[in-house]
């Protein structure tokens, strides 16, 4: 397709199609299963548009009824720019085929297409004359970005949640600037983190003993080998722990017990031993008393003797010695836990094997010094041999650290200020302590914690826009694609002004997408867009779904993230995201799906044997996170599709509506299926107005149970997936649902673009951003909607590269503007 401005494309490309094919509809012309956005031109005038609004829309959206909290009585279809927020809402609903609603007279499809295309053309033309790239408040490093930045800077892994509070999520993401509020507590958290991280990196010979506890998931299966633990062990935990000094440390192991307080001796057929190892070398072997009781002096805990360990990061593992290769009876694994006290076997019996609850590392005691750590080697890029050489060496180290941490060259004045901290540290403990004190100042600096974006000096663009500086663009690009600090090459190119050259910018994007660090687009962007974090909230009932446990849930997440990154890396398209006949899995996940011939823990590409599981809608992660613990939820699944894929979330339920389970009653000697419960629940007229949109989508996925395995019966009754989408499209299973979604490509493409742009910009997408969203979507269409094409077009877009000339803090989007 020739690259044309969107308005021109809409105006001239399609009238001939409609003229020669008067019966054409948006579902007639499919290219590889995906319609191209903007393929139908505006064939109606303003008068016809006003008539359509008055005839089909105002009867619900008027001052009296105010359905959707919106009145269209005064909406001027001839001038949609005058009420752009309302116009964009109309475009969203009409493109998704959701309006007029089911059961109400609908205009011919070609009239709707012509009307909405005309609205888009007018809004896009107005935006071209007066562009608005938007702006944002300051942006700070969130937990994930902070941990990644520390790793880039110092080479150590940290748990940022140990220092920083939970992030506020907005628009589905944790990096949205206008909800990153500041408080004295938050600032104190960053200061505490700077102090502790600098000591973890460079060591602290004056450290006082402290404890760090690592918990084992309450839903972890502990009969299998845990990655990181020595071979020949089962269960347990393996972590990287940063030891702050050379000294002695103890390791305390706490175990689960059944509800009466006994450990596991009543049912265990053999004794057990647990091994503690550091970097794969055994440092303790602890025999377990099968008759330990929580009323014993030490309860169900064991503590090692103090063990000498050198400073720096070490892998610490605690695991049970595997004493048999055969099956081990474990009546509660996977098991149900008491959330109050983590009792094992609380509901379903006594465990046959012990389960580790947590590992605590305490120390240091009897400190003997600080062995240079990998982080110390990375920081100390020079070593003075005399006292006279120390200031110059320190200045060099501080300059290099500051430039990497601040993502830009540092000024002489900034180095001077940090040298003041260095000098204070030298008084306390010499050169090393001085450098550590300066490092603490760098990590506590606003230039590290916050991402400030300055406009390019003296540069202006049409419509009052100003390009952001190349240095700011480098950081924006790096945190978008990698979720971490820009590398040396990117900073150097930015420092030379190269990112202002479109060809150089595109070359850098290509380089960065080819880098393994671009996997952050899957682990950060895709995981949040698809709501994979919600999988941690669903714990399927252990009696009904005994094969589901924590490791399987992690595999499900990894499948989805790996699948997205593979499509991005290998030129996959947004259509492939919905229809691919392959995914990535290991033996455990393949066995769960019923796919033979996959062995081992490593993930590899596997072709589905069942067409029903194609694409993202067949992933166990999505199907489980949209279920309840004891039953599937067509409502949650339908809502997920509407919100995540179509960008049209249903309104919240009205108050005093009974839960679905409250409407489930035995009928004719059997229990109602989920579909029957839902139909009974939706019979309430108050509920039906939303459920008629949501339910058919979720019901189409009812062949998948709570954990995503295929089923043909529900409570003994054959699963029934027959339904009708809100636009009248018949549905009978996941294949029909995929096909129906692909007939509405504008919604899919633009929703993906909106989410990608929101994540890239660090702010919510507002109504005035939608012309840019449409431009990105149209341009990505010329690249066959490859995922990489979307990424590149977002980087090229004005909102990504520009800011307002007189940028002001945007007010948070209200209900009328929240897209």
């Amino acid at each position: 397709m020739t690259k044309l401005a969107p308005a021109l494309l809409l105006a001239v490309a399609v009238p001939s199609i409609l003229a020669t094919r008067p019966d054409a509809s948006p579902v007639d012309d499919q290219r590889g299963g995906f319609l191209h956005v903007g393929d139908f031109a505006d064939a109606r005038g303003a008068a016809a548009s006003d008539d359509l609004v008055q005839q089909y829309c105002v009867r619900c959206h008027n001052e009296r009824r105010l359905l959707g909290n919106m009145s269209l009585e005064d909406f001027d279809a001839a001038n949609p720019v005058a009420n752009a927020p309302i116009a964009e809402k109309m475009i969203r609903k009409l493109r998704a085929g959701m309006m007029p609603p089911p059961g109400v007279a609908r205009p011919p499809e070609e009239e709707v297409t012509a009307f909405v295309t005309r609205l888009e053309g007018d809004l896009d033309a107005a935006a071209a004359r007066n562009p608005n790239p938007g702006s944002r408040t300051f942006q700070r490093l969130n937990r994930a970005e902070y941990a990644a930045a520390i790793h880039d800077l110092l080479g150590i892994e940290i748990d940022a949640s140990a220092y920083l509070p939970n992030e506020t999520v907005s628009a589905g993401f944790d990096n949205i600037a206008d909800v990153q509020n500041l408080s004295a507590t938050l600032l104190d958290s960053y200061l505490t983190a700077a102090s502790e991280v600098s000591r973890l990196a460079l060591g602290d010979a004056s450290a006082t003993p402290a404890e760090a506890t690592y918990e084992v998931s309450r839903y972890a299966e502990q009969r299998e080998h845990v990655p990181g633990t020595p071979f020949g062990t089962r269960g347990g935990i393996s972590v990287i722990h940063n030891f702050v000094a050379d000294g002695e440390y103890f390791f305390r192991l706490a175990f689960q017990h059944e509800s009466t307080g006994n450990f596991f001796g009543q049912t265990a057929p053999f004794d057990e031993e647990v091994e503690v190892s550091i970097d794969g070398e055994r440092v303790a072997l602890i025999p377990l008393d099968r008759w330990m009781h929580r009323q014993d002096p030490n309860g169900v805990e064991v503590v090692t003797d103090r063990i000498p360990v050198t400073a720096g990061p070490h892998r610490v593992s605690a695991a049970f010695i595997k004493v048999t290769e055969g099956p081990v009876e474990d009546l509660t694994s996977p098991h149900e836990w008491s959330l109050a006290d983590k009792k094992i076997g609380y509901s379903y019996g006594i465990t046959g094997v012990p389960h580790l609850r947590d590992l605590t590392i305490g120390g240091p005691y009897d400190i003997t010094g600080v062995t240079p750590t990998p982080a110390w080697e990375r920081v100390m890029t020079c070593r003075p041999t005399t006292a006279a050489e120390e200031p110059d060496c320190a200045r060099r180290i501080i300059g290099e650290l500051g430039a990497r941490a601040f993502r830009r060259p540092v000024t002489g004045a900034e180095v001077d200020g940090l040298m003041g901290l260095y000098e204070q540290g030298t008084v306390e403990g010499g050169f090393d302590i001085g450098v550590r004190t300066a490092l603490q100042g760098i990590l506590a600096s606003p230039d590290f914690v916050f991402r400030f974006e300055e406009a390019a000096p003296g540069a202006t663009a049409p419509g009052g826009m100003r390009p952001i500086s190349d240095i700011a663009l480098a950081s924006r690009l790096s945190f978008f694609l990698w979720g971490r600090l820009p590398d040396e090459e990117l900073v150097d190119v930015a420092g030379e002004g190269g990112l202002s050259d479109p060809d150089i910018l595109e070359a850098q994007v290509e380089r960065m997408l080819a880098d393994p660090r671009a996997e952050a687009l899957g682990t950060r962007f895709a995981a949040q867009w698809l709501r994979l974090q919600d999988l941690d909230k669903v714990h399927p009932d252990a009696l009904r779904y005994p094969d589901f446990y924590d490791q399987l849930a992690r595999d499900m997440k990894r499948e989805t993230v790996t699948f997205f990154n593979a499509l991005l890396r290998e030129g996959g398209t947004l259509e492939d995201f919905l229809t691919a006949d392959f995914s990535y899995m290991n033996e455990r996940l393949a066995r769960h799906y019923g796919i033979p011939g996959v062995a081992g823990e490593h993930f590899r590409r596997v072709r589905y044997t069942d067409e029903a599981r194609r694409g993202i809608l067949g992933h166990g992660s999505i199907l489980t996170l949209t279920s309840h613990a004891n039953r599937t939820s067509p409502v949650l699944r339908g809502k997920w599709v509407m919100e995540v894929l179509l960008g049209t979330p249903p309104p919240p339920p009205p108050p005093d509506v009974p839960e679905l389970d409250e409407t489930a009653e035995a009928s004719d000697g059997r229990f109602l299926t989920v579909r029957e419960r839902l139909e009974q629940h939706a019979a309430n007229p108050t509920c039906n107005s939303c459920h008629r949109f949501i339910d058919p989508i979720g019901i189409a996925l009812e062949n998948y149970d709570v954990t995503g395995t295929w089923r043909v019966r529900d409570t003994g009754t054959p699963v029934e997936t027959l339904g009708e989408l809100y636009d009248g499209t018949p549905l009978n299973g996941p294949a029909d649902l995929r096909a129906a979604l692909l007939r509405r490509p504008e919604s899919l493409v633009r929703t993906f673009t909106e989410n990608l742009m929101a994540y890239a910009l660090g702010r919510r997408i507002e109504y005035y951003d939608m012309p840019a969203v449409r431009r990105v979507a149209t341009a990505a269409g010329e690249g066959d909607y490859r995922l990489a094409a979307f990424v590149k077009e977002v980087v090229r877009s004005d909102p990504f590269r520009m800011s307002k000339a007189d940028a002001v803090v945007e007010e948070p989007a209200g209900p009328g503007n929240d897209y």
Side-chain angles (χ1 to χ4, degrees):
M1 184 184 290
T2 304
K3 188 171 183 179
L4 299 173
L8 181 60
L9 178 66
L10 296 173
V12 304
V14 187
S16 59
I17 298 176
L18 292 179
T20 57
R21 296 177 57 198
D23 59 334
S25 72
V27 300
D28 289 334
D29 180 26
Q30 295 194 28
R31 304 169 189 173
F34 228 5
L35 285 172
H36 279 232
V37 176
D39 275 357
F40 292 87
D42 183 1
R44 305 286 178 178
S49 297
D50 278 328
D51 289 344
L52 186 146
V53 172
Q54 295 299 319
Q55 181 177 355
Y56 294 101
C57 306
V58 172
R59 59 188 171 191
C60 294
H61 300 290
N62 53 54
E63 294 294 340
R64 182 176 61 86
R65 302 186 66 184
L66 275 180
L67 293 189
N69 196 30
M70 180 172 65
S71 172
L72 296 178
E73 287 184 359
D74 298 324
F75 181 77
D76 184 1
N79 184 22
V81 179
N83 202 342
I86 294 296
E88 292 293 355
K89 281 188 173 183
M90 295 172 69
I91 290 170
R92 184 180 299 272
K93 294 290 188 179
L94 293 172
R95 282 296 188 191
M98 296 182 65
M99 289 293 154
V104 177
R106 302 170 71 98
E109 189 69 28
E110 61 270 19
E111 290 188 15
V112 175
T113 301
F115 171 68
V116 72
T117 301
R118 184 177 185 279
L119 292 181
E120 292 168 352
D122 289 349
L123 293 169
D124 292 349
R129 293 190 300 270
N130 186 25
N132 181 1
S135 63
R136 71 178 189 202
T137 60
F138 66 88
Q139 192 166 21
R140 61 173 174 81
L141 299 185
N142 58 31
R143 280 180 172 182
E145 293 167 343
Y146 187 89
I150 293 297
H151 181 269
D152 287 348
L153 191 64
L154 303 173
I156 62 173
E157 302 283 350
I158 66 164
D159 178 10
S161 66
Y163 311 111
L164 305 180
N166 289 330
E167 302 294 342
T168 300
V169 175
S170 179
F173 299 105
D174 62 6
N175 67 337
I176 303 302
D178 64 0
V179 297
Q180 292 184 324
N181 297 324
L182 287 181
S183 66
T185 301
L186 180 64
L187 294 177
D188 187 63
S189 297
Y190 280 108
L191 294 175
T192 300
S195 175
E196 295 195 20
V197 169
S198 61
R199 282 163 172 76
L200 289 177
L202 301 184
D204 184 5
S206 61
T208 56
E211 295 185 3
T213 299
Y214 300 91
E215 293 187 355
V216 178
S217 169
R218 291 171 289 180
Y219 297 91
E221 218 285 351
Q222 294 203 38
R223 290 171 293 185
E224 300 179 356
H225 174 260
V226 173
T229 59
F231 288 106
T233 62
R234 68 156 184 88
I237 189 172
S238 183
V239 299
I240 299 294
H241 180 77
N242 292 296
F243 292 84
V244 73
D246 302 349
E248 295 183 344
Y249 297 81
F250 69 80
F251 302 87
R252 183 172 62 243
L253 309 177
F255 300 91
Q256 303 291 356
H257 52 81
E258 55 95 2
S259 58
T260 63
N262 291 320
F263 190 26
F264 67 104
Q266 293 179 344
T267 56
F270 40 72
D271 292 329
E272 292 269 2
E273 293 177 310
V274 62
E275 174 188 274
V276 178
S277 63
I278 298 178
D279 296 330
E281 296 292 329
R282 178 185 293 176
V283 295
L285 182 63
I286 306 169
L288 296 182
D289 181 357
R290 292 188 297 161
W291 304 100
M292 283 193 299
H293 194 282
R294 64 183 175 185
Q295 293 180 357
D296 292 341
N298 293 325
V300 283
E301 294 183 346
V302 294
V303 183
T304 69
D305 295 331
R306 293 180 184 175
I307 297 169
V309 186
T310 58
H314 295 282
R315 177 170 289 280
V316 179
S317 302
F320 301 96
I321 300 296
K322 193 172 184 179
V323 295
T324 178
E325 292 297 329
V328 176
E329 181 180 11
D330 192 2
L331 302 180
T332 59
S333 180
H335 39 70
E336 185 71 11
W337 301 85
S338 163
L339 297 180
D341 58 9
K342 304 180 184 177
K343 292 176 183 176
I344 187 171
Y346 182 76
S347 301
Y348 304 134
I350 302 171
T351 179
V353 293
H355 290 247
L356 185 66
R357 187 182 72 194
D358 54 54
L359 164 68
T360 298
I361 301 174
Y365 298 91
D366 299 330
I367 295 174
T368 59
V370 176
T371 298
T373 66
W376 188 94
E377 298 286 355
R378 179 184 292 225
V379 170
M380 299 297 186
T381 54
C382 61
R383 272 311 271 175
T385 57
T386 66
E389 295 175 353
E390 289 182 353
D392 287 341
C393 180
R395 180 173 288 274
R396 172 183 167 184
I397 291 172
I398 289 169
E400 292 172 350
L401 281 174
R404 295 208 308 270
F406 299 164
R407 289 87 71 183
R408 58 170 175 77
V410 292
T411 66
E414 289 172 325
V415 174
D416 289 341
L418 292 168
M419 283 295 294
L421 295 176
Y422 160 80
E423 291 166 1
Q424 292 178 26
T426 59
V427 174
E428 176 186 340
F431 178 81
D432 284 10
I433 303 301
V435 172
R436 192 184 73 190
T437 306
L439 172 61
Q440 180 177 342
I442 289 172
L443 298 183
S445 170
D447 290 285
F448 174 68
V449 172
F450 299 104
R451 291 167 53 192
F452 300 114
E453 294 182 342
E454 296 181 352
T460 58
M465 297 188 297
R466 293 182 63 184
I468 62 175
S469 69
D470 277 36
I471 290 295
L473 185 57
S475 279
R476 181 175 281 201
L477 189 62
S478 183
F479 280 102
F480 172 32
L481 301 185
W482 290 349
R484 58 201 322 131
L485 302 179
D487 64 359
E488 185 177 354
E489 178 177 338
L490 187 59
V491 172
D492 287 346
V493 170
E496 296 169 358
L499 296 183
S500 298
D501 184 326
D503 293 335
I504 295 178
L505 177 61
E506 183 165 355
Q508 284 297 312
V509 173
E510 292 277 5
R511 177 183 73 86
M512 296 175 72
L513 286 176
D515 191 285
R517 284 171 285 190
E519 291 184 358
L521 281 168
T523 57
R524 292 278 298 134
F525 161 70
Q528 293 187 83
W529 167 48
L530 300 173
R531 312 297 190 257
L532 295 188
Q533 66 273 12
D534 290 348
L535 189 58
D536 297 332
K537 304 174 185 177
V538 181
H539 303 294
D541 183 273
L543 281 181
R544 300 186 186 188
Y545 308 100
D547 296 325
F548 188 91
Y549 48 97
D550 189 70
Q551 289 94 325
L552 181 61
R554 291 202 299 266
D555 290 345
M556 289 178 172
K557 284 185 183 178
R558 185 174 175 183
E559 175 196 14
T560 301
V561 168
T562 304
F563 174 66
F564 179 89
N565 278 331
L567 292 179
L568 179 69
R569 182 178 59 251
E570 298 168 7
T573 67
L574 194 56
E575 182 181 359
D576 295 331
F577 188 69
L578 288 169
T579 65
D581 64 351
F582 64 88
S583 189
Y584 294 80
M585 58 194 74
N586 60 5
E587 179 181 358
R588 182 166 42 234
L589 188 57
R591 184 172 62 244
H592 184 72
Y593 289 158
I595 299 176
V598 180
E601 279 288 320
H602 68 284
F603 272 64
R604 81 296 308 263
R605 178 168 169 151
V606 177
R607 190 173 296 276
Y608 288 132
T609 57
D610 186 355
E611 184 175 343
R613 196 171 285 279
R614 287 186 169 209
I616 190 65
L617 293 178
H619 281 215
S621 59
I622 305 304
L623 297 163
T624 303
L625 71 87
T626 53
S627 297
H628 294 296
N630 59 353
R631 63 170 175 82
T632 57
S633 175
V635 174
L636 290 179
R637 288 175 175 176
K639 180 178 181 292
W640 185 91
V641 170
M642 292 178 66
E643 180 175 354
V644 174
L645 298 184
L646 298 177
T648 54
D656 302 325
V657 173
E659 293 292 333
L660 180 59
D661 285 338
E662 296 178 23
T663 66
E665 299 177 358
S667 175
D668 300 328
R670 64 178 179 84
F671 288 102
L672 300 180
T673 66
V674 170
R675 176 171 184 149
E676 289 170 331
R677 299 185 202 183
L678 195 59
E679 290 173 346
Q680 186 182 91
H681 175 81
N684 184 332
T686 304
C687 304
N688 184 257
S689 60
C690 290
H691 280 277
R692 58 186 175 179
F693 288 97
I694 304 170
D695 294 356
I697 298 173
I699 287 172
L701 300 173
E702 267 295 279
N703 277 122
Y704 296 111
D705 72 7
V706 167
T707 65
T709 60
W710 188 262
R711 64 177 181 177
V712 295
R713 306 183 76 85
D714 177 18
T715 65
T717 303
V719 172
E720 178 60 64
T721 60
L722 187 64
E724 185 177 277
L725 195 62
Y726 48 74
D727 65 356
T729 302
L731 299 178
N732 192 9
D736 284 351
L737 178 58
R738 287 196 305 269
L741 293 176
L742 290 172
R743 294 190 186 98
R744 297 284 179 183
E746 296 91 348
S747 294
L748 293 171
V749 169
R750 292 174 186 175
T751 299
F752 177 73
T753 303
E754 285 180 68
N755 281 276
L756 187 65
M757 188 174 286
Y759 175 77
L761 299 178
R763 65 173 177 83
R764 287 175 290 185
I765 299 303
E766 307 290 351
Y767 72 90
Y768 51 76
D769 293 305
M770 291 309 297
V773 168
R774 288 189 282 271
R775 284 195 297 273
V776 169
T778 300
E782 296 169 18
D784 295 323
Y785 297 113
R786 290 179 293 110
L787 300 188
F790 285 97
V791 172
K792 293 174 184 177
E793 293 302 331
V794 166
V795 172
R796 292 189 186 110
S797 69
D798 286 345
F800 191 84
R801 298 180 301 106
M802 303 283 181
S803 65
K804 289 181 181 179
D806 299 316
V808 296
V809 175
E810 296 288 338
E811 291 294 330
N817 296 338
D818 190 359
Y819 283 82

